[in-house]
Each structure stands twice: as structure tokens, then as C-alpha cells.
Amino acid sequence: MQKIIKIALIAIGVLSAILWYLLPGSDMPAAEAAQSGAMNTMFIITYLLLGIAVVVSLVFTLKNLFSNPQGLKKTLFVVGGFLLVVGVSYVLASGTDVDPEFAAMSDEGTIKNIGMGLNVFFILTIIAVLSLVIPSVKNMFSK
């Protein structure tokens, strides 16, 4: 299996080097360069390798997760907490807090989703900062 992977990686590397050489020059207009066969093939290789990496990482993560029941319990707790934060953020997002000039570019649902994403970011940032500051403060006063 190891040899097959090495041979496949060498073949992909050689193919990528050839495609790199075949890429259009900088003097070609962007619209024509985007339609280049070499460029499209490089994107296909990139998507293929990214897909393989995602699948392999998910398989090994799930395998490790289900082999350790204690870890599964912690993971479900964290995922539940994250879903709670997302739910609270969605409820807090109004969907109308945009300048009327820009509100014409998107509908209320899109604006509400953007607000939810910002709220999730802010809440998780506050949680991260507090999880760093609180133990430090406790440690200062316990000595």
C-alpha cells in the first residue's frame, strides 16, 4: 500500500509539473486563461486531492471517536454547546440591522444569517477569552 501511494504521488507531481509548464502566460487575458485546459486539469487534481484528504481525515476521526466512548461523550457535549450557541445567535439576529441602501442587495433571510454568523463569532470569541482569563485570575488569587 505504501508503494502504491508513493507511485501515485510521484505521478501526480510529474503531471502537475507538466501542467504548470503548460499554463498560459501572464500576457494572456484572464478570461482566456481561465478556460485553459491545463488550468482546469490542475483544479480537478486539487479538488480530487482535497476530497481524498477530507474523506481520510473524517474516517480516521470517526474511527478514533467511536473507539473511545469517553471522547464521544465529550464531543457530543461540545457539539451540543455549539448548536446552542448557533441557536441563540439566530434568535438574537434581527435581519433588519442593515443600511437601507445595502438592504436592496439581499433579502431579510440572508441578512439574518449574516447576523447569526457574526453573533456566533462574537459569542465564541468571548467564551475563548474568558476560558483564558478566568483560570489565570483564579490562579493569581489562589496563591
Side-chain angles (χ1 to χ4, degrees):
M1 184 70 174
Q2 194 80 359
K3 286 185 179 185
I4 294 172
I5 292 174
K6 283 184 182 181
I7 292 170
L9 288 176
I10 289 171
I12 291 171
V14 168
L15 179 63
S16 298
I18 292 169
L19 290 172
W20 181 267
Y21 180 74
L22 295 174
L23 282 176
S26 61
D27 56 343
M28 182 179 282
E32 290 179 33
Q35 299 300 325
S36 166
M39 178 105 43
N40 289 334
T41 308
M42 288 183 85
F43 277 121
I44 290 170
I45 290 172
T46 303
Y47 292 143
L48 180 70
L49 292 175
L50 181 63
I52 291 170
V54 167
V55 168
V56 168
S57 69
L58 281 175
V59 165
F60 283 111
T61 300
L62 292 174
K63 179 183 170 233
N64 186 25
L65 196 62
F66 288 118
S67 67
N68 183 3
Q70 197 71 353
L72 180 63
K73 189 175 176 183
K74 284 183 183 179
T75 302
L76 290 175
F77 181 70
V78 169
V79 169
F82 180 73
L83 291 176
L84 179 70
V85 168
V86 169
V88 168
S89 298
Y90 188 78
V91 169
L92 292 177
S94 68
T96 59
D97 51 352
V98 174
D99 189 352
E101 175 185 348
F102 299 112
M105 293 184 213
S106 58
D107 59 350
E108 186 177 343
T110 303
I111 295 170
K112 187 166 178 107
N113 286 339
I114 292 170
M116 177 199 64
L118 290 171
N119 289 341
V120 167
F121 173 75
F122 296 144
I123 291 171
L124 291 179
T125 301
I126 290 168
I127 290 170
V129 169
L130 288 177
S131 68
L132 292 173
V133 170
I134 290 174
S136 299
V137 170
K138 279 186 179 179
N139 196 12
M140 268 181 12
F141 289 118
S142 67
K143 289 186 177 183

